[in-house]
Amino acid sequence: EQLARVQELTVTRPNVGSITFHGATDVRGMDFGKIVKLSVGEVLVYSDLDMKPPVGEGLNKRATLTLCQCWAPADQVQQDEAAQERYRDRIRRMTEKKNAEFVDYDCRTGIWKFRVDQF
């Protein structure tokens, strides 16, 4: 059955963001509305800890997240390249403090991309 091994499953909310779960994922019986919450600037996967499976099972696995509308304060960056780079470094440090791997952040588009090993 195809639903038992969906490769690189991606859950998307337009203009908000997406999560790509790496490898094969068994999505049979999965209620994405209860498991995944994507809102501007925030991602929750298994907010109900009673639903959370062991690491490596379900959606509790390595994933790449892309968040939209993560704008830098306009007064801090505007068109100044150096200020944009400082803000990008700030986002990198914040990402790493959350035990995630920073991939990219673009001040011009407001898109922040990072990876996690689990949720």
Side-chain angles (χ1 to χ4, degrees):
E1 188 174 292
Q2 289 181 341
L3 294 178
R5 293 191 54 81
V6 176
Q7 292 292 328
E8 300 300 297
L9 170 70
T10 300
V11 176
T12 301
R13 185 167 171 208
N15 299 314
V16 174
S18 66
I19 309 171
T20 299
F21 298 92
H22 299 298
T25 303
D26 183 351
V27 299
R28 294 175 295 181
M30 209 170 270
D31 185 344
F32 291 100
K34 287 185 178 177
I35 299 171
V36 178
K37 306 281 191 242
L38 268 172
S39 54
V40 175
E42 182 178 43
V43 176
L44 295 173
V45 179
Y46 296 114
S47 60
D48 179 351
L49 296 179
D50 292 334
M51 293 179 64
K52 188 174 182 175
V55 174
E57 294 182 20
L59 302 181
N60 192 12
K61 61 197 291 184
R62 187 158 175 79
T64 299
L65 295 85
T66 302
L67 299 181
C68 306
Q69 301 187 54
C70 296
W71 302 109
D75 62 328
Q76 288 185 19
V77 293
Q78 296 182 11
Q79 300 301 319
D80 181 354
E81 292 287 329
Q84 288 179 8
E85 193 56 38
R86 284 192 304 275
Y87 194 78
R88 186 174 187 272
D89 286 341
R90 182 174 164 194
I91 296 294
R92 176 192 310 272
R93 288 190 306 275
M94 182 179 67
T95 304
E96 292 168 353
K97 279 185 183 177
K98 295 180 182 291
N99 296 317
E101 176 190 345
F102 178 83
V103 175
D104 192 30
Y105 174 75
D106 189 326
C107 288
R108 292 176 301 272
T109 62
I111 295 175
W112 175 24
K113 195 170 193 176
F114 57 97
R115 289 188 196 95
V116 297
D117 288 330
Q118 67 185 50
F119 287 93

